Amino acid sequence: MHKIRYRIRTLSPILLSTQSGDMNMTATLDYIPGSALLGVFAGKYIQAKNLGDNAHENPDFYNWFLNSRVIFCNAYPCKETEHRTENYLPVPLSIQTKKNDETSADDLLKKPSDPKKQIKTINGYCDIAGDTIQKLAPSKSLNFHHARPDRIKGHSGVEGQIFNYESIDPDQLFEGEIIGDEKTLQEFVGLVDNKFPIRLGRSKTAQYGRAELEILSGAPEELEVKDHLDDEIYLTFLSSVILYNENGFPNTSLADFKRYLAKALEIDSDRIQVDGVFKKPVEIENFISTWRLKRPSEAAFQAGSCFSIKITGWNDSIESKLIELQKEGIGERRGEGFGRIILNWQMKDSYTVKESKEKKRDTEKPDGKKPALTAKIFKDVIKENWRKMIEGKALKEYKEFSKNENNSPTNALLGRLEMMLKSAAGDMEQFLGKMLKLRKTAREKLEACRGKDKGKDVTLLDFIEDGNPDFQQAFNQESALGKMGENIEYNPSTDTIFCNELYQLYWLTFFRMIRKSKKEGANE
């Protein structure tokens, strides 16, 4: 099989939507999916051949774009240096760093972790050269828009309601491959110019989606993969992998993975021994423009999932089929870039980790006074994000004081604390003054409830009366929100009314969650 290399440069923010836990947030992928490239080239072919709505009846169109005879691989971040172009791929999930030292990493498929040390996966993409990992994360931004419940009006129907778009920043490079037989790729190259503009993702008619695609290969190139294999291999997914179980439903079980691998190698699955597994599930969902609908989501293995495999009865036929498997991929929807694998990519026990940073483009602030509406939108965004963070802080910290139900404050006491907090309008000094007037029995009940704060044992009474000092220190001017506030000359830590609102939100959430946990415990 052969390949054509292509490169995409983003010219405007790109929004390739993916699932997000926030209903007011549309997140983006940080790579260009093969399915998007398939759509671009399918459109070019339809236009060049004037096929219209009957494109599927054309044999070449059917084979190239519908029958996976041509594979459109994902485009991952790349970086131009003085001497070469560095290409980055999803980081294997087995390679993890120590939580407090991100400069070194171990491959846990080869070197078991020390249970006493905390570890974490490496986000983004990497280039592995010997015992060095160079990592790179594409630059992304948040874009804030007024929500429009009624699109006919053309403006926000709810005062102050903000909808967030995450997008890939402009002027970034991504590289990928188009794989097929040499003759097909030669015909394919002749369809398009070496460089041409494309549109990607959502909101293409607005300010998003402009990019430029360049064909880097003047002619189809031989597809090179790892060879000289033996019976012990390390298999890593370079893209998401979709596998179906025996009933035709997407599944991420190890049994189905072994079944697909055994079928590709034409051996019994009993001969495949998986000694190590690092895998994560992911939901695959994309938009089909012809249907004008989203395709039903499918469960898949996340890119970077990897396996340590030993095959009994090793022979030349198995080695040959494994080499071909790296070219053809594994699983379903391979024409859209799913199912790409690599063998024996990470071969060291330990690595030195280096970070590759893109040079930030210099931007200038526009002259003139900031519009009042812009300042208001920024201020609303800052406040809403702080509300979510403070609420999340309470949802995390209440658990330390609800582990022992027998020592929890009574519902009556929790209700009284809530009333005191509301009557003080979130003013910390007023609330703590009311706390001093609590009866001795109530204070003793708060002292009996114990938890941890910064790793130290504390009573709930002390935790409340200390005023949770980290709350005030949470306003970080170096954060993205802090810099946004600096641009509009707004610092939430000096906004007394807002600080009181957050103080009240924190403790109301804290007390209500303790009450909820008591109720759930009683129902068990």
Side-chain angles (χ1 to χ4, degrees), residues 76-275:
Y76 292 123
C78 68
K79 180 182 176 184
E80 289 181 321
T81 65
E82 185 178 351
H83 304 290
R84 68 184 184 100
T85 298
E86 297 174 353
N87 292 99
Y88 292 79
L89 297 170
V91 182
L93 296 179
S94 63
I95 299 180
Q96 302 190 15
T97 65
K98 300 178 183 66
K99 194 168 185 179
N100 298 320
D101 179 15
E102 298 185 11
T103 61
S104 62
D106 295 328
D107 189 339
L108 304 187
L109 281 178
K110 300 170 179 288
K111 184 178 180 180
S113 63
D114 184 344
K116 296 180 181 178
K117 295 181 179 179
Q118 292 182 310
I119 55 177
K120 65 177 184 178
T121 55
I122 301 174
N123 295 323
Y125 301 86
C126 73
D127 175 26
I128 300 178
D131 59 358
T132 300
I133 290 179
Q134 193 92 0
K135 66 176 186 176
L136 175 69
S139 177
K140 297 188 291 186
S141 297
L142 279 178
N143 306 278
F144 306 101
H145 302 267
H146 276 298
R148 289 192 291 160
D150 186 348
R151 290 185 171 269
I152 296 176
K153 293 181 179 178
H155 58 80
S156 174
V158 181
E159 183 69 21
Q161 185 172 335
I162 302 297
F163 190 85
N164 304 330
Y165 274 177
E166 184 184 47
S167 61
I168 300 172
D169 286 344
D171 200 27
Q172 294 193 83
L173 297 177
F174 298 82
E175 278 196 17
E177 299 172 345
I178 301 171
I179 298 173
D181 64 75
E182 185 175 11
K183 182 181 178 182
T184 297
L185 293 183
Q186 283 176 341
E187 296 178 28
F188 202 83
V189 171
L191 283 175
V192 296
D193 298 328
N194 287 340
K195 186 182 292 186
F196 54 93
I198 60 173
R199 306 288 291 197
L200 295 169
R202 289 183 56 174
S203 298
K204 293 191 288 287
T205 57
Q207 71 264 43
Y208 299 96
R210 291 193 307 112
E212 181 181 74
L213 190 147
E214 180 181 5
I215 302 295
L216 301 177
S217 303
E221 305 173 15
E222 188 74 34
L223 183 61
E224 298 179 357
V225 297
K226 299 280 184 176
D227 51 15
H228 304 297
L229 307 172
D230 56 33
D231 61 343
E232 293 186 15
I233 58 175
Y234 296 92
L235 187 153
T236 303
F237 291 159
L238 295 181
S239 66
S240 299
V241 174
I242 301 172
L243 305 180
Y244 293 160
N245 62 21
E246 293 178 339
N247 297 317
F249 293 102
N251 202 329
T252 56
S253 71
L254 188 59
D256 285 316
F257 166 67
K258 289 178 63 176
R259 181 168 58 83
Y260 268 81
L261 184 58
K263 183 178 180 180
L265 301 182
E266 298 181 3
I267 61 175
D268 292 333
S269 59
D270 293 342
R271 293 171 59 182
I272 299 174
Q273 178 182 329
V274 181
D275 295 325

Side-chain angles (χ1 to χ4, degrees), residues 451-458:
K452 288 188 179 292
D453 180 31
K454 305 183 195 65
K456 296 181 180 179
D457 289 328
V458 294

Side-chain angles (χ1 to χ4, degrees), residues 239-425:
S239 66
S240 299
V241 174
I242 301 172
L243 305 180
Y244 293 160
N245 62 21
E246 293 178 339
N247 297 317
F249 293 102
N251 202 329
T252 56
S253 71
L254 188 59
D256 285 316
F257 166 67
K258 289 178 63 176
R259 181 168 58 83
Y260 268 81
L261 184 58
K263 183 178 180 180
L265 301 182
E266 298 181 3
I267 61 175
D268 292 333
S269 59
D270 293 342
R271 293 171 59 182
I272 299 174
Q273 178 182 329
V274 181
D275 295 325
V277 179
F278 285 83
K279 65 183 180 74
K280 285 185 180 179
V282 66
E283 287 291 324
I284 301 298
E285 185 179 78
N286 60 316
F287 187 84
I288 307 296
S289 58
T290 304
W291 298 352
R292 292 182 175 85
L293 290 171
K294 283 186 177 181
R295 188 170 188 161
S297 63
E298 296 188 295
F301 289 91
Q302 180 178 304
S305 297
C306 47
F307 309 82
S308 173
I309 298 170
K310 186 169 184 179
I311 300 175
T312 58
W314 181 263
N315 55 46
D316 292 342
S317 175
I318 292 176
E319 180 180 23
S320 176
K321 286 182 173 62
L322 279 171
I323 292 172
E324 287 303 308
L325 191 66
Q326 293 177 88
K327 298 178 180 178
E328 297 176 359
I330 190 170
E332 310 298 327
R333 296 171 59 181
R334 285 174 288 165
E336 300 173 48
F338 298 109
R340 305 309 303 164
I341 69 168
I342 188 172
L343 301 180
N344 298 343
W345 181 31
Q346 63 270 32
M347 295 301 294
K348 302 291 184 180
D349 293 352
S350 301
Y351 296 89
T352 299
V353 181
K354 297 181 179 180
E355 186 159 5
S356 178
K357 294 185 178 180
E358 292 284 356
K359 184 180 179 182
K360 296 288 185 181
R361 295 183 303 158
D362 294 330
T363 56
E364 296 181 1
K365 293 182 180 179
D367 295 329
K369 187 178 180 180
K370 286 178 283 293
L373 179 59
T374 299
K376 182 182 184 303
I377 291 174
F378 277 28
K379 189 173 181 180
D380 288 342
V381 168
I382 292 168
K383 286 186 172 183
E384 185 60 28
N385 276 274
W386 275 114
R387 291 185 188 104
K388 290 179 180 179
M389 284 190 283
I390 295 304
E391 193 172 25
K393 181 176 172 67
L395 290 171
K396 178 181 178 181
E397 294 179 345
Y398 90 91
K399 296 177 182 178
E400 290 293 336
F401 296 89
S402 62
K403 293 178 179 178
N404 189 339
E405 184 183 343
N406 295 328
N407 292 333
S408 294
T410 63
N411 286 340
L413 178 54
L414 290 170
R416 186 174 179 188
L417 291 173
E418 289 179 22
M419 290 180 62
M420 290 163 49
L421 190 64
K422 290 178 180 178
S423 66

